[in-house]
PDB file of all heavy atoms in Angstrom:
ATOM      1  N   ASP A  19      11.215  14.421 -15.596  1.00 97.00           N
ATOM      2  CA  ASP A  19      11.385  13.699 -16.902  1.00 97.00           C
ATOM      3  C   ASP A  19      11.122  12.225 -16.684  1.00 97.00           C
ATOM      4  O   ASP A  19      11.375  11.587 -15.678  1.00 97.00           O
ATOM      5  CB  ASP A  19      12.824  13.762 -17.320  1.00 97.00           C
ATOM      6  CG  ASP A  19      13.165  15.239 -17.731  1.00 97.00           C
ATOM      7  OD1 ASP A  19      12.196  15.933 -18.191  1.00 97.00           O
ATOM      8  OD2 ASP A  19      14.276  15.671 -17.728  1.00 97.00           O
ATOM      9  N   ILE A  20      10.510  11.624 -17.680  1.00 98.00           N
ATOM     10  CA  ILE A  20      10.210  10.191 -17.674  1.00 98.00           C
ATOM     11  C   ILE A  20      11.105   9.623 -18.851  1.00 98.00           C
ATOM     12  O   ILE A  20      11.093  10.120 -19.969  1.00 98.00           O
ATOM     13  CB  ILE A  20       8.722   9.933 -17.968  1.00 98.00           C
ATOM     14  CG1 ILE A  20       7.909  10.434 -16.756  1.00 98.00           C
ATOM     15  CG2 ILE A  20       8.503   8.450 -18.226  1.00 98.00           C
ATOM     16  CD1 ILE A  20       6.391  10.390 -17.046  1.00 98.00           C
ATOM     17  N   TYR A  21      11.860   8.637 -18.546  1.00 98.00           N
ATOM     18  CA  TYR A  21      12.788   8.024 -19.548  1.00 98.00           C
ATOM     19  C   TYR A  21      12.622   6.563 -19.740  1.00 98.00           C
ATOM     20  O   TYR A  21      12.307   5.756 -18.813  1.00 98.00           O
ATOM     21  CB  TYR A  21      14.230   8.149 -19.049  1.00 98.00           C
ATOM     22  CG  TYR A  21      14.773   9.595 -18.914  1.00 98.00           C
ATOM     23  CD1 TYR A  21      14.811  10.229 -17.762  1.00 98.00           C
ATOM     24  CD2 TYR A  21      15.160  10.244 -20.073  1.00 98.00           C
ATOM     25  CE1 TYR A  21      15.257  11.540 -17.652  1.00 98.00           C
ATOM     26  CE2 TYR A  21      15.678  11.580 -20.029  1.00 98.00           C
ATOM     27  CZ  TYR A  21      15.658  12.299 -18.826  1.00 98.00           C
ATOM     28  OH  TYR A  21      16.171  13.532 -18.765  1.00 98.00           O
ATOM     29  N   ILE A  22      12.699   6.097 -20.988  1.00 98.00           N
ATOM     30  CA  ILE A  22      12.914   4.737 -21.293  1.00 98.00           C
ATOM     31  C   ILE A  22      14.337   4.702 -22.009  1.00 98.00           C
ATOM     32  O   ILE A  22      14.460   5.337 -23.091  1.00 98.00           O
ATOM     33  CB  ILE A  22      11.933   4.085 -22.326  1.00 98.00           C
ATOM     34  CG1 ILE A  22      10.455   4.364 -21.680  1.00 98.00           C
ATOM     35  CG2 ILE A  22      12.118   2.600 -22.401  1.00 98.00           C
ATOM     36  CD1 ILE A  22       9.756   5.556 -22.272  1.00 98.00           C
ATOM     37  N   GLN A  23      15.239   3.993 -21.450  1.00 98.00           N
ATOM     38  CA  GLN A  23      16.621   4.038 -21.945  1.00 98.00           C
ATOM     39  C   GLN A  23      16.872   2.751 -22.761  1.00 98.00           C
ATOM     40  O   GLN A  23      16.174   1.807 -22.717  1.00 98.00           O
ATOM     41  CB  GLN A  23      17.603   4.046 -20.765  1.00 98.00           C
ATOM     42  CG  GLN A  23      17.462   5.346 -19.978  1.00 98.00           C
ATOM     43  CD  GLN A  23      17.976   5.255 -18.559  1.00 98.00           C
ATOM     44  OE1 GLN A  23      17.404   4.595 -17.715  1.00 98.00           O
ATOM     45  NE2 GLN A  23      19.014   6.034 -18.173  1.00 98.00           N
ATOM     46  N   TRP A  30      10.329   2.868 -30.454  1.00 98.00           N
ATOM     47  CA  TRP A  30       9.642   4.102 -30.849  1.00 98.00           C
ATOM     48  C   TRP A  30       8.380   3.857 -31.505  1.00 98.00           C
ATOM     49  O   TRP A  30       7.273   4.410 -31.292  1.00 98.00           O
ATOM     50  CB  TRP A  30      10.477   4.945 -31.637  1.00 98.00           C
ATOM     51  CG  TRP A  30      11.438   5.908 -30.857  1.00 98.00           C
ATOM     52  CD1 TRP A  30      12.733   5.871 -30.703  1.00 98.00           C
ATOM     53  CD2 TRP A  30      10.922   7.105 -30.207  1.00 98.00           C
ATOM     54  NE1 TRP A  30      13.169   6.975 -29.956  1.00 98.00           N
ATOM     55  CE2 TRP A  30      12.081   7.728 -29.586  1.00 98.00           C
ATOM     56  CE3 TRP A  30       9.720   7.710 -29.973  1.00 98.00           C
ATOM     57  CZ2 TRP A  30      12.058   8.896 -28.842  1.00 98.00           C
ATOM     58  CZ3 TRP A  30       9.680   8.881 -29.248  1.00 98.00           C
ATOM     59  CH2 TRP A  30      10.794   9.471 -28.655  1.00 98.00           C
ATOM     60  N   LEU A  65      14.369  11.628 -35.914  1.00 94.00           N
ATOM     61  CA  LEU A  65      15.362  10.799 -35.212  1.00 94.00           C
ATOM     62  C   LEU A  65      16.692  10.560 -36.068  1.00 94.00           C
ATOM     63  O   LEU A  65      17.688  10.482 -35.409  1.00 94.00           O
ATOM     64  CB  LEU A  65      14.778   9.538 -34.691  1.00 94.00           C
ATOM     65  CG  LEU A  65      13.659   9.544 -33.657  1.00 94.00           C
ATOM     66  CD1 LEU A  65      12.984   8.210 -33.491  1.00 94.00           C
ATOM     67  CD2 LEU A  65      14.156  10.152 -32.405  1.00 94.00           C
ATOM     68  N   TYR A  89       9.095  14.189 -26.696  1.00 93.00           N
ATOM     69  CA  TYR A  89      10.086  14.852 -27.569  1.00 93.00           C
ATOM     70  C   TYR A  89      10.823  13.643 -28.345  1.00 93.00           C
ATOM     71  O   TYR A  89      11.057  12.589 -27.831  1.00 93.00           O
ATOM     72  CB  TYR A  89      11.112  15.619 -26.833  1.00 93.00           C
ATOM     73  CG  TYR A  89      10.410  16.795 -26.070  1.00 93.00           C
ATOM     74  CD1 TYR A  89      10.209  16.672 -24.714  1.00 93.00           C
ATOM     75  CD2 TYR A  89      10.074  17.980 -26.714  1.00 93.00           C
ATOM     76  CE1 TYR A  89       9.567  17.681 -23.984  1.00 93.00           C
ATOM     77  CE2 TYR A  89       9.375  18.936 -26.030  1.00 93.00           C
ATOM     78  CZ  TYR A  89       9.192  18.865 -24.734  1.00 93.00           C
ATOM     79  OH  TYR A  89       8.542  19.867 -24.002  1.00 93.00           O
ATOM     80  N   PHE A  90      11.175  14.043 -29.519  1.00 95.00           N
ATOM     81  CA  PHE A  90      11.775  12.946 -30.410  1.00 95.00           C
ATOM     82  C   PHE A  90      13.217  13.357 -30.675  1.00 95.00           C
ATOM     83  O   PHE A  90      13.560  13.709 -31.852  1.00 95.00           O
ATOM     84  CB  PHE A  90      10.965  12.839 -31.702  1.00 95.00           C
ATOM     85  CG  PHE A  90       9.438  12.728 -31.397  1.00 95.00           C
ATOM     86  CD1 PHE A  90       8.565  13.734 -31.408  1.00 95.00           C
ATOM     87  CD2 PHE A  90       9.007  11.401 -31.164  1.00 95.00           C
ATOM     88  CE1 PHE A  90       7.223  13.628 -31.024  1.00 95.00           C
ATOM     89  CE2 PHE A  90       7.586  11.214 -30.851  1.00 95.00           C
ATOM     90  CZ  PHE A  90       6.697  12.238 -30.845  1.00 95.00           C
ATOM     91  N   PHE A  91      14.028  13.298 -29.680  1.00 92.00           N
ATOM     92  CA  PHE A  91      15.490  13.695 -29.757  1.00 92.00           C
ATOM     93  C   PHE A  91      16.342  12.605 -30.224  1.00 92.00           C
ATOM     94  O   PHE A  91      17.263  12.787 -31.077  1.00 92.00           O
ATOM     95  CB  PHE A  91      15.910  14.209 -28.388  1.00 92.00           C
ATOM     96  CG  PHE A  91      15.167  15.430 -27.798  1.00 92.00           C
ATOM     97  CD1 PHE A  91      14.867  15.547 -26.587  1.00 92.00           C
ATOM     98  CD2 PHE A  91      14.928  16.518 -28.724  1.00 92.00           C
ATOM     99  CE1 PHE A  91      14.303  16.697 -26.008  1.00 92.00           C
ATOM    100  CE2 PHE A  91      14.267  17.671 -28.236  1.00 92.00           C
ATOM    101  CZ  PHE A  91      13.954  17.756 -26.924  1.00 92.00           C
ATOM    102  N   LEU A  92      16.264  11.429 -29.530  1.00 94.00           N
ATOM    103  CA  LEU A  92      17.252  10.420 -29.741  1.00 94.00           C
ATOM    104  C   LEU A  92      16.613   9.063 -30.015  1.00 94.00           C
ATOM    105  O   LEU A  92      15.607   8.630 -29.226  1.00 94.00           O
ATOM    106  CB  LEU A  92      18.117  10.278 -28.529  1.00 94.00           C
ATOM    107  CG  LEU A  92      18.879  11.554 -28.085  1.00 94.00           C
ATOM    108  CD1 LEU A  92      19.469  11.393 -26.654  1.00 94.00           C
ATOM    109  CD2 LEU A  92      20.038  11.869 -29.070  1.00 94.00           C
ATOM    110  N   GLU A  93      17.122   8.299 -30.865  1.00 96.00           N
ATOM    111  CA  GLU A  93      16.592   6.955 -31.155  1.00 96.00           C
ATOM    112  C   GLU A  93      16.743   6.022 -29.943  1.00 96.00           C
ATOM    113  O   GLU A  93      15.802   5.195 -29.690  1.00 96.00           O
ATOM    114  CB  GLU A  93      17.301   6.306 -32.366  1.00 96.00           C
ATOM    115  CG  GLU A  93      16.720   4.974 -32.732  1.00 96.00           C
ATOM    116  CD  GLU A  93      17.381   4.429 -33.932  1.00 96.00           C
ATOM    117  OE1 GLU A  93      17.714   5.086 -34.932  1.00 96.00           O
ATOM    118  OE2 GLU A  93      17.767   3.181 -33.982  1.00 96.00           O
ATOM    119  N   ASN A  94      17.845   6.152 -29.211  1.00 96.00           N
ATOM    120  CA  ASN A  94      18.131   5.176 -28.152  1.00 96.00           C
ATOM    121  C   ASN A  94      17.611   5.692 -26.730  1.00 96.00           C
ATOM    122  O   ASN A  94      18.042   5.076 -25.759  1.00 96.00           O
ATOM    123  CB  ASN A  94      19.573   4.793 -28.133  1.00 96.00           C
ATOM    124  CG  ASN A  94      20.480   6.048 -27.976  1.00 96.00           C
ATOM    125  OD1 ASN A  94      20.063   7.159 -27.947  1.00 96.00           O
ATOM    126  ND2 ASN A  94      21.815   5.760 -27.909  1.00 96.00           N
ATOM    127  N   GLN A  95      16.894   6.724 -26.748  1.00 97.00           N
ATOM    128  CA  GLN A  95      16.243   7.144 -25.461  1.00 97.00           C
ATOM    129  C   GLN A  95      14.919   7.858 -25.713  1.00 97.00           C
ATOM    130  O   GLN A  95      14.827   8.864 -26.434  1.00 97.00           O
ATOM    131  CB  GLN A  95      17.174   8.141 -24.744  1.00 97.00           C
ATOM    132  CG  GLN A  95      16.703   8.603 -23.400  1.00 97.00           C
ATOM    133  CD  GLN A  95      17.827   9.334 -22.627  1.00 97.00           C
ATOM    134  OE1 GLN A  95      18.692   8.694 -22.050  1.00 97.00           O
ATOM    135  NE2 GLN A  95      17.735  10.624 -22.623  1.00 97.00           N
ATOM    136  N   ILE A  96      13.812   7.303 -25.161  1.00 98.00           N
ATOM    137  CA  ILE A  96      12.559   7.954 -25.290  1.00 98.00           C
ATOM    138  C   ILE A  96      12.303   8.813 -24.068  1.00 98.00           C
ATOM    139  O   ILE A  96      12.580   8.340 -22.925  1.00 98.00           O
ATOM    140  CB  ILE A  96      11.473   6.826 -25.423  1.00 98.00           C
ATOM    141  CG1 ILE A  96      11.624   6.045 -26.658  1.00 98.00           C
ATOM    142  CG2 ILE A  96      10.031   7.472 -25.387  1.00 98.00           C
ATOM    143  CD1 ILE A  96      10.692   4.849 -26.746  1.00 98.00           C
ATOM    144  N   GLU A  97      11.734   9.996 -24.263  1.00 97.00           N
ATOM    145  CA  GLU A  97      11.732  11.028 -23.143  1.00 97.00           C
ATOM    146  C   GLU A  97      10.421  11.789 -23.192  1.00 97.00           C
ATOM    147  O   GLU A  97       9.916  12.148 -24.210  1.00 97.00           O
ATOM    148  CB  GLU A  97      12.885  12.060 -23.361  1.00 97.00           C
ATOM    149  CG  GLU A  97      12.966  13.112 -22.220  1.00 97.00           C
ATOM    150  CD  GLU A  97      14.163  13.938 -22.452  1.00 97.00           C
ATOM    151  OE1 GLU A  97      15.169  13.554 -23.234  1.00 97.00           O
ATOM    152  OE2 GLU A  97      14.194  15.033 -21.849  1.00 97.00           O
ATOM    153  N   PHE A  98       9.872  11.840 -21.988  1.00 98.00           N
ATOM    154  CA  PHE A  98       8.620  12.688 -21.704  1.00 98.00           C
ATOM    155  C   PHE A  98       8.974  13.632 -20.580  1.00 98.00           C
ATOM    156  O   PHE A  98       9.861  13.446 -19.882  1.00 98.00           O
ATOM    157  CB  PHE A  98       7.481  11.774 -21.242  1.00 98.00           C
ATOM    158  CG  PHE A  98       7.043  10.632 -22.245  1.00 98.00           C
ATOM    159  CD1 PHE A  98       7.642   9.536 -22.131  1.00 98.00           C
ATOM    160  CD2 PHE A  98       6.015  10.857 -23.226  1.00 98.00           C
ATOM    161  CE1 PHE A  98       7.334   8.343 -22.954  1.00 98.00           C
ATOM    162  CE2 PHE A  98       5.678   9.820 -23.963  1.00 98.00           C
ATOM    163  CZ  PHE A  98       6.320   8.577 -23.886  1.00 98.00           C
ATOM    164  N   ASP A  99       8.151  14.682 -20.484  1.00 97.00           N
ATOM    165  CA  ASP A  99       8.236  15.451 -19.254  1.00 97.00           C
ATOM    166  C   ASP A  99       6.892  15.959 -18.801  1.00 97.00           C
ATOM    167  O   ASP A  99       5.883  15.975 -19.500  1.00 97.00           O
ATOM    168  CB  ASP A  99       9.273  16.648 -19.384  1.00 97.00           C
ATOM    169  CG  ASP A  99       8.748  17.737 -20.295  1.00 97.00           C
ATOM    170  OD1 ASP A  99       7.639  18.128 -20.310  1.00 97.00           O
ATOM    171  OD2 ASP A  99       9.684  18.418 -21.030  1.00 97.00           O
ATOM    172  N   GLY A 133      14.213  13.597 -11.736  1.00 94.00           N
ATOM    173  CA  GLY A 133      14.377  15.056 -11.791  1.00 94.00           C
ATOM    174  C   GLY A 133      14.714  15.557 -13.214  1.00 94.00           C
ATOM    175  O   GLY A 133      15.253  14.730 -14.060  1.00 94.00           O
ATOM    176  N   GLU A 134      14.493  16.840 -13.539  1.00 92.00           N
ATOM    177  CA  GLU A 134      14.833  17.344 -14.957  1.00 92.00           C
ATOM    178  C   GLU A 134      16.283  17.157 -15.230  1.00 92.00           C
ATOM    179  O   GLU A 134      17.252  17.482 -14.482  1.00 92.00           O
ATOM    180  CB  GLU A 134      14.475  18.796 -14.968  1.00 92.00           C
ATOM    181  CG  GLU A 134      14.581  19.353 -16.361  1.00 92.00           C
ATOM    182  CD  GLU A 134      13.963  20.790 -16.504  1.00 92.00           C
ATOM    183  OE1 GLU A 134      13.633  21.385 -15.459  1.00 92.00           O
ATOM    184  OE2 GLU A 134      13.896  21.234 -17.623  1.00 92.00           O
ATOM    185  N   ASN A 135      16.523  16.460 -16.372  1.00 90.00           N
ATOM    186  CA  ASN A 135      17.919  16.164 -16.944  1.00 90.00           C
ATOM    187  C   ASN A 135      18.733  15.370 -15.924  1.00 90.00           C
ATOM    188  O   ASN A 135      19.927  15.586 -15.884  1.00 90.00           O
ATOM    189  CB  ASN A 135      18.569  17.489 -17.259  1.00 90.00           C
ATOM    190  CG  ASN A 135      17.874  18.331 -18.330  1.00 90.00           C
ATOM    191  OD1 ASN A 135      17.345  17.644 -19.265  1.00 90.00           O
ATOM    192  ND2 ASN A 135      17.923  19.639 -18.246  1.00 90.00           N
ATOM    193  N   GLN A 136      18.074  14.452 -15.192  1.00 91.00           N
ATOM    194  CA  GLN A 136      18.847  13.609 -14.279  1.00 91.00           C
ATOM    195  C   GLN A 136      18.538  12.156 -14.487  1.00 91.00           C
ATOM    196  O   GLN A 136      18.022  11.477 -13.599  1.00 91.00           O
ATOM    197  CB  GLN A 136      18.546  14.015 -12.824  1.00 91.00           C
ATOM    198  CG  GLN A 136      18.881  15.460 -12.482  1.00 91.00           C
ATOM    199  CD  GLN A 136      18.470  15.746 -10.951  1.00 91.00           C
ATOM    200  OE1 GLN A 136      18.366  14.866 -10.164  1.00 91.00           O
ATOM    201  NE2 GLN A 136      18.335  17.019 -10.714  1.00 91.00           N
ATOM    202  N   PRO A 137      18.682  11.629 -15.663  1.00 93.00           N
ATOM    203  CA  PRO A 137      18.298  10.324 -16.016  1.00 93.00           C
ATOM    204  C   PRO A 137      19.071   9.237 -15.242  1.00 93.00           C
ATOM    205  O   PRO A 137      18.509   8.085 -15.037  1.00 93.00           O
ATOM    206  CB  PRO A 137      18.680  10.159 -17.566  1.00 93.00           C
ATOM    207  CG  PRO A 137      19.714  11.229 -17.685  1.00 93.00           C
ATOM    208  CD  PRO A 137      19.395  12.378 -16.889  1.00 93.00           C
ATOM    209  N   GLU A 195      26.433  27.691 -23.365  1.00 50.00           N
ATOM    210  CA  GLU A 195      27.456  26.519 -23.522  1.00 50.00           C
ATOM    211  C   GLU A 195      26.636  25.214 -23.253  1.00 50.00           C
ATOM    212  O   GLU A 195      26.934  24.232 -24.052  1.00 50.00           O
ATOM    213  CB  GLU A 195      28.459  26.728 -22.526  1.00 50.00           C
ATOM    214  CG  GLU A 195      29.536  27.818 -22.793  1.00 50.00           C
ATOM    215  CD  GLU A 195      30.493  28.118 -21.667  1.00 50.00           C
ATOM    216  OE1 GLU A 195      30.315  27.483 -20.533  1.00 50.00           O
ATOM    217  OE2 GLU A 195      31.433  28.904 -21.893  1.00 50.00           O
ATOM    218  N   SER A 196      25.822  25.179 -22.290  1.00 51.00           N
ATOM    219  CA  SER A 196      25.074  23.919 -22.106  1.00 51.00           C
ATOM    220  C   SER A 196      24.149  23.703 -23.330  1.00 51.00           C
ATOM    221  O   SER A 196      24.009  22.453 -23.731  1.00 51.00           O
ATOM    222  CB  SER A 196      24.128  24.063 -20.856  1.00 51.00           C
ATOM    223  OG  SER A 196      23.338  22.963 -20.646  1.00 51.00           O
ATOM    224  N   ALA A 197      23.430  24.705 -23.860  1.00 53.00           N
ATOM    225  CA  ALA A 197      22.583  24.498 -24.928  1.00 53.00           C
ATOM    226  C   ALA A 197      23.307  24.009 -26.184  1.00 53.00           C
ATOM    227  O   ALA A 197      22.745  23.284 -27.027  1.00 53.00           O
ATOM    228  CB  ALA A 197      21.821  25.742 -25.256  1.00 53.00           C
ATOM    229  N   ASN A 198      24.547  24.441 -26.382  1.00 55.00           N
ATOM    230  CA  ASN A 198      25.307  24.143 -27.555  1.00 55.00           C
ATOM    231  C   ASN A 198      26.000  22.747 -27.489  1.00 55.00           C
ATOM    232  O   ASN A 198      26.565  22.306 -28.455  1.00 55.00           O
ATOM    233  CB  ASN A 198      26.340  25.242 -27.853  1.00 55.00           C
ATOM    234  CG  ASN A 198      25.647  26.481 -28.291  1.00 55.00           C
ATOM    235  OD1 ASN A 198      24.601  26.439 -28.974  1.00 55.00           O
ATOM    236  ND2 ASN A 198      26.269  27.645 -28.001  1.00 55.00           N
ATOM    237  N   SER A 199      26.030  22.140 -26.281  1.00 59.00           N
ATOM    238  CA  SER A 199      26.710  20.936 -26.170  1.00 59.00           C
ATOM    239  C   SER A 199      25.836  19.828 -26.754  1.00 59.00           C
ATOM    240  O   SER A 199      24.545  19.954 -26.756  1.00 59.00           O
ATOM    241  CB  SER A 199      26.965  20.582 -24.665  1.00 59.00           C
ATOM    242  OG  SER A 199      25.774  20.479 -23.979  1.00 59.00           O
ATOM    243  N   GLU A 200      26.431  18.751 -27.236  1.00 68.00           N
ATOM    244  CA  GLU A 200      25.724  17.699 -27.901  1.00 68.00           C
ATOM    245  C   GLU A 200      24.831  16.912 -26.867  1.00 68.00           C
ATOM    246  O   GLU A 200      25.300  16.514 -25.736  1.00 68.00           O
ATOM    247  CB  GLU A 200      26.634  16.761 -28.554  1.00 68.00           C
ATOM    248  CG  GLU A 200      25.930  15.603 -29.288  1.00 68.00           C
ATOM    249  CD  GLU A 200      26.958  14.546 -29.867  1.00 68.00           C
ATOM    250  OE1 GLU A 200      28.137  14.862 -29.762  1.00 68.00           O
ATOM    251  OE2 GLU A 200      26.520  13.663 -30.534  1.00 68.00           O
ATOM    252  N   TYR A 201      23.542  16.688 -27.221  1.00 70.00           N
ATOM    253  CA  TYR A 201      22.645  16.007 -26.289  1.00 70.00           C
ATOM    254  C   TYR A 201      22.748  14.571 -26.557  1.00 70.00           C
ATOM    255  O   TYR A 201      22.574  14.086 -27.656  1.00 70.00           O
ATOM    256  CB  TYR A 201      21.183  16.483 -26.607  1.00 70.00           C
ATOM    257  CG  TYR A 201      20.184  15.868 -25.649  1.00 70.00           C
ATOM    258  CD1 TYR A 201      20.274  16.213 -24.316  1.00 70.00           C
ATOM    259  CD2 TYR A 201      19.168  15.041 -26.070  1.00 70.00           C
ATOM    260  CE1 TYR A 201      19.263  15.733 -23.352  1.00 70.00           C
ATOM    261  CE2 TYR A 201      18.281  14.490 -25.223  1.00 70.00           C
ATOM    262  CZ  TYR A 201      18.273  14.796 -23.822  1.00 70.00           C
ATOM    263  OH  TYR A 201      17.422  14.261 -23.015  1.00 70.00           O
ATOM    264  N   LYS A 202      23.098  13.841 -25.568  1.00 82.00           N
ATOM    265  CA  LYS A 202      23.377  12.397 -25.634  1.00 82.00           C
ATOM    266  C   LYS A 202      22.510  11.612 -24.717  1.00 82.00           C
ATOM    267  O   LYS A 202      22.041  12.155 -23.654  1.00 82.00           O
ATOM    268  CB  LYS A 202      24.784  12.076 -25.269  1.00 82.00           C
ATOM    269  CG  LYS A 202      25.856  12.674 -26.228  1.00 82.00           C
ATOM    270  CD  LYS A 202      27.241  12.348 -25.830  1.00 82.00           C
ATOM    271  CE  LYS A 202      28.293  12.877 -26.793  1.00 82.00           C
ATOM    272  NZ  LYS A 202      29.647  12.571 -26.429  1.00 82.00           N
ATOM    273  N   SER A 203      22.240  10.424 -25.049  1.00 88.00           N
ATOM    274  CA  SER A 203      21.428   9.482 -24.205  1.00 88.00           C
ATOM    275  C   SER A 203      22.275   9.022 -23.030  1.00 88.00           C
ATOM    276  O   SER A 203      23.518   9.075 -23.045  1.00 88.00           O
ATOM    277  CB  SER A 203      20.897   8.336 -25.001  1.00 88.00           C
ATOM    278  OG  SER A 203      21.955   7.528 -25.483  1.00 88.00           O
ATOM    279  N   THR A 204      21.573   8.494 -21.993  1.00 91.00           N
ATOM    280  CA  THR A 204      22.282   7.967 -20.887  1.00 91.00           C
ATOM    281  C   THR A 204      21.785   6.408 -20.820  1.00 91.00           C
ATOM    282  O   THR A 204      20.665   6.125 -20.596  1.00 91.00           O
ATOM    283  CB  THR A 204      21.769   8.624 -19.573  1.00 91.00           C
ATOM    284  OG1 THR A 204      22.150   9.965 -19.647  1.00 91.00           O
ATOM    285  CG2 THR A 204      22.530   7.981 -18.373  1.00 91.00           C
TER     286      THR A 204
END
Side-chain angles (χ1 to χ4, degrees):
D19 291 333
I20 295 171
Y21 294 101
I22 308 98
Q23 297 157 295
W30 268 110
L65 293 173
Y89 301 98
F90 308 95
F91 295 141
L92 301 166
E93 181 178 317
N94 55 359
Q95 182 169 282
I96 298 174
E97 182 176 341
F98 303 88
D99 69 39
E134 187 171 5
N135 297 323
Q136 296 177 24
E195 286 173 353
S196 175
N198 290 330
S199 62
E200 184 181 358
Y201 185 64
K202 296 181 179 180
S203 64
T204 301

